[in-house]
Amino acid sequence: MKIAKNSVVSMHYKVATAEGEHIDASAPDSPLVFLAGTGNVILGLDKALIGKQAGDKVDAVIPPAEAYGDHDPELDLVVSKGAFPKDAHQQLAPGFRFRADHPKQEGAVTMFTVHKIDGDEVFVSGNHELAGKTLSFQVEIVSVRAATHEELSHGHVHGEGGHHH
Ligand code: ZN
């Protein structure tokens, strides 16, 4: 069967930046299992897999707009420590993540990550760490099946490689 919207796809993958820097890969004994065409994976990958079937190897180069978006310099901010609640000061360190108002979209909240602390200045970014990157995927499709009604109503896969609940 060929991959279509709502197919349950099991696949092995490797992903790197366009420059060849390794990002992530499936473990040899545990392929990624997901609901195709529903945003479980990035848009460009969802699109590249439509029509493929078990055994197919797919190489896909995906631009930022169909991956994690463009890098937005206005989401890279320097804020003073005093802007954080007192009880958060101890946790303030590179890698600390928190939710805050989006600087440009009124009413929207976005995730920020602390990158650096210099005295009273905290350098934070609301960009995804892969924003602005072109991604290169190497995929091998293991299996394709139709989703059950329950999986479709939950929006994710159940069973092996999926949700257990
Ligand atoms: Zn479920």
Side-chain angles (χ1 to χ4, degrees):
M1 117 174 234
K2 288 188 173 166
I3 297 173
K5 183 172 160 64
N6 294 328
S7 298
V8 174
V9 177
S10 169
M11 70 178 199
H12 281 294
Y13 73 95
K14 265 195 279 193
V15 57
T17 63
E19 295 78 36
E21 186 191 342
H22 172 84
I23 297 170
D24 193 17
S26 51
D29 55 352
S30 99
L32 176 68
V33 182
F34 67 99
L35 206 51
T38 62
N40 282 184
V41 296
I42 58 170
L43 177 65
L45 188 57
D46 250 345
K47 282 162 76 170
L49 296 176
I50 295 295
K52 307 297 183 193
Q53 54 194 338
D56 281 357
K57 292 191 163 89
V58 183
D59 288 338
V61 174
I62 299 172
E66 295 193 341
Y68 292 96
D70 290 313
H71 184 267
D72 182 349
E74 290 187 52
L75 289 177
D76 292 334
L77 305 171
V78 183
V79 291
S80 86
K81 261 189 189 166
F84 291 87
K86 270 243 154 52
D87 58 359
H89 284 199
Q90 233 170 351
Q91 292 170 281
L92 279 182
F96 179 69
R97 288 163 65 80
F98 62 95
R99 282 178 185 284
D101 291 340
H102 193 289
K104 288 196 296 186
Q105 294 166 23
E106 204 170 325
V109 165
T110 193
M111 279 310 282
F112 285 86
T113 304
V114 173
H115 284 290
K116 192 173 87 171
I117 296 173
D118 186 2
D120 184 52
E121 291 185 322
V122 184
F123 293 73
V124 305
S125 178
N127 283 295
H128 188 281
E129 61 180 317
L130 294 174
K133 304 241 189 228
T134 295
L135 304 183
S136 173
F137 277 86
Q138 285 179 289
V139 170
E140 186 170 353
I141 311 292
V142 176
S143 67
V144 183
R145 66 169 168 86
T148 64
H149 288 294
E150 194 185 40
E151 286 172 324
L152 290 179
S153 73
H154 289 195
H156 56 230
V157 176
H158 292 161
E160 200 171 338
H163 287 241
H164 299 272
H165 59 96

